[in-house]
Amino acid sequence: MLNIPDFASFRNVATPFYYYDIDLFNKTVAEVAELSKKYNVHVHYSVKANSDSRLNDIISAAGLGTDCVSGDEIEFAVSCGFDPKDIFFAGVGKTDKEIVQALQVGIGAFVVESLEEIVIIGDLAKKLGRRVSMSLRINPNIDAHTHHHITTGLYEDKFGISDRSFDEAASLVKSYDNIDFFGLQFHIGSQILDVEEVVKLECERVNDIVARFERDGMIVKNIDLGGGLGIDYDDPDNNPVPDFETWFRTIRKYLVARPEQGVHVEPGRSLVGQAGSLISRVLYVKKGENRRFLMVDAGMNDLIRPALYGAYHKIENLSAHYDDNDSREMRVYDVVGPVCESADTFGKERTLAKSHRGDLIAIRSAGAYGQVMASHYNMRPFAPSVYSDRLAEAPRRKDYFAK
Ligand code: LLP
């Protein structure tokens, strides 16, 4: 069950909202920062997973870098105190405006996704009279064994430069006297759970590709393995902090890297996922013909993962636990939101404590790709962030019938 130190105060917060467990988040970030030093693996947090400014302030204070995919993410990262030199700028389609902005900020490296981008970025930098540091994003053609919407390292995916174009990419980079070749970047997909197997495969492929570039006279100063470490959506209470150690250890075991070669990763989900939950209130229980619907006040506009990927998020009735000590009977519900789409369903046939109007519901493991993917669909407002240690500051419920 989601840990809420002060349920009396929590119950009066206006719903829906994203609740961030700051103790758990601090613990997760501290663990990553420590392991980063232990294994000498540079961590660049993938801002796209969650761009809450307080969470990002905490990550930057721990000395980590970032992986950004837009000009606004770069500006945001700088405003959160990340060192521009530790910012990588990736993304399949960068606009001229974003490229110029990144050059002016002085980011660590552009991660270029195509031969076309080498030319565009090389030329723009030349026009500005600047040198530019560039990594090549490689499409390693590896199956990350994850959901087909979040696998990115196969030939049929739109990402990266595949082995068929390596020679051309190398000679293009060499043809620009203002391009500094930073290294190679790989990212094969997200929510990877069989870490040892997949990362071993990835490292073996990376070793071959790095060697091939170096034979071509390109010194690979940095190897970036991307993000992808998965989290336990089924059992967030028993696995609140993902297994970063196995990830880093497996990398160091199988990756062939010289001492002076920088090794980087770009985790997103694993840093923020378990610290966030979407909190919602039951509007009513609707008895359908053959199902019971738990209608809550959060919708797919607040958390789109179930509708978009069929993603599983654990759902809990907080009121039944904190007010009634888990004494209620259990019932089976389809947990649905108020948006006018049948995909607006958070979970089908979920067994929950018997629920009533006004109960608080937690949709767990929603810290990554939750709040950032929200929309205003149906003119619904964005659910705000509420932090476990600042409950008193959170927006309160209104009594609409008070004089
Ligand atoms: N690096 C690159 C180049 C990426 O494309 C991504 C994520 C990451 C790092 C961070 O990956 P992570 O550690 O979070 O797996 N919206 C989807 C996930 C999309 C991931 C996009 N790329 C979801 O809700 O599952």
Side-chain angles (χ1 to χ4, degrees):
M1 187 66 55
L2 179 63
N3 179 33
I4 299 158
D6 176 10
F7 196 67
S9 183
F10 186 91
R11 104 159 24 90
N12 288 320
V13 179
T15 49
F17 61 91
Y18 272 92
Y19 178 69
Y20 293 109
D21 179 337
I22 294 297
D23 284 347
L24 173 59
F25 186 63
N26 279 329
K27 195 172 147 200
T28 309
V29 173
E31 173 137 347
V32 173
E34 193 188 312
L35 290 168
S36 155
K37 288 206 187 80
K38 177 172 167 192
Y39 288 93
N40 192 19
V41 171
H42 302 278
V43 175
H44 300 254
Y45 165 63
S46 201
V47 176
K48 66 171 90 73
N50 189 310
S51 46
D52 176 86
S53 59
R54 182 159 182 222
L55 301 189
N56 278 272
D57 287 348
I58 293 173
I59 298 173
S60 85
L64 308 187
T66 65
D67 153 47
C68 294
V69 286
S70 70
D72 282 358
E73 279 193 3
I74 294 173
E75 193 182 318
F76 169 76
V78 172
S79 78
C80 292
F82 287 101
D83 186 338
K85 288 196 301 300
D86 295 328
I87 296 177
F88 292 162
F89 181 24
V92 243
K94 305 172 184 73
T95 66
D96 292 8
K97 181 174 171 227
E98 290 174 318
I99 294 166
V100 171
Q101 183 187 349
L103 286 167
Q104 283 166 346
V105 165
I107 62 159
F110 284 78
V111 181
V112 303
E113 296 257 1
S114 59
L115 304 178
E116 292 77 5
E117 253 195 3
I118 300 174
V119 174
I120 291 167
I121 297 173
D123 286 350
L124 278 173
K126 198 163 252 179
K127 257 193 208 148
L128 292 173
R130 289 188 187 250
R131 303 196 63 74
V132 55
S133 177
M134 239 184 232
S135 264
L136 299 181
R137 173 154 184 193
I138 302 300
N139 181 331
N141 197 25
I142 292 178
D143 190 348
H145 302 180
T146 177
H147 190 282
H148 64 282
H149 278 166
I150 48 180
T151 175
T152 46
L154 290 170
Y155 278 150
E156 60 256 38
D157 298 321
K158 68 178 172 182
F159 303 95
I161 299 169
S162 73
D163 51 4
R164 296 165 194 152
S165 307
F166 287 172
D167 295 340
E168 209 180 327
S171 51
L172 259 180
V173 168
K174 285 185 207 155
S175 70
Y176 280 83
D177 55 9
N178 65 326
I179 294 181
D180 295 318
F181 179 54
F182 185 83
L184 300 177
Q185 195 256 20
F186 305 80
H187 172 81
I188 55 174
S190 200
Q191 184 53 15
I192 296 168
L193 289 173
D194 26 6
V195 178
E196 281 171 295
E197 191 193 329
V198 174
V199 173
K200 174 175 184 268
L201 204 71
E202 182 186 14
C203 288
E204 287 166 353
R205 189 69 58 89
V206 168
N207 294 339
D208 287 347
I209 296 173
V210 169
R212 182 166 160 190
F213 272 86
E214 296 213 319
R215 273 200 305 275
D216 248 4
M218 307 271 289
I219 304 298
V220 179
K221 296 194 212 88
N222 293 278
I223 304 169
D224 179 349
L225 296 170
L229 178 64
I231 63 171
D232 191 342
Y233 283 96
D234 296 326
D235 196 0
D237 291 324
N238 280 315
N239 289 307
V241 181
D243 189 358
F244 294 104
E245 179 129 34
T246 298
W247 191 27
F248 290 173
R249 195 181 350 94
T250 310
I251 291 173
R252 279 301 181 191
K253 183 166 170 198
Y254 295 106
L255 187 73
V256 178
R258 294 186 297 273
E260 77 281 7
Q261 255 168 341
V263 175
H264 305 255
V265 289
E266 304 172 345
R269 185 190 320 267
S270 50
L271 248 75
V272 290
Q274 298 292 37
S277 298
L278 175 61
I279 309 298
S280 182
R281 206 174 293 272
V282 175
L283 296 174
Y284 57 86
V285 178
K286 173 178 171 180
K287 287 197 192 68
E289 292 310 318
N290 45 19
R291 283 168 185 271
R292 245 187 235 104
F293 295 101
L294 193 64
M295 174 65 63
V296 299
D297 67 359
M300 65 191 282
N301 70 296
D302 299 303
L303 176 67
I304 202 171
R305 302 191 72 258
L308 193 57
Y309 314 115
Y312 176 89
H313 287 261
K314 192 166 187 227
I315 302 176
E316 302 169 333
N317 185 321
L318 298 173
S319 306
H321 177 74
Y322 286 102
D323 290 337
D324 291 340
N325 280 319
D326 297 317
S327 61
R328 299 188 198 169
E329 297 164 40
M330 303 306 272
R331 284 273 190 284
V332 177
Y333 298 100
D334 280 6
V335 182
V336 299
V339 170
C340 305
E341 302 261 354
S342 45
D344 189 16
T345 299
F346 290 117
K348 285 203 160 139
E349 296 185 9
R350 296 296 183 92
T351 304
L352 296 177
K354 190 172 177 196
S355 303
H356 310 293
R357 174 172 167 79
D359 282 352
L360 285 172
I361 299 291
I363 303 173
R364 303 288 306 273
S365 312
Y369 308 108
Q371 214 173 2
V372 282
M373 290 178 80
S375 78
H376 280 312
Y377 188 37
N378 284 201
M379 282 186 86
R380 290 168 51 82
F382 285 137
S385 302
V386 169
Y387 309 103
S388 55
D389 59 341
R390 292 188 187 162
L391 271 184
E393 295 164 27
R396 302 278 107 183
R397 293 175 81 187
K398 285 201 183 91
D399 179 352
Y400 295 96
F401 302 101
K403 290 247 161 64

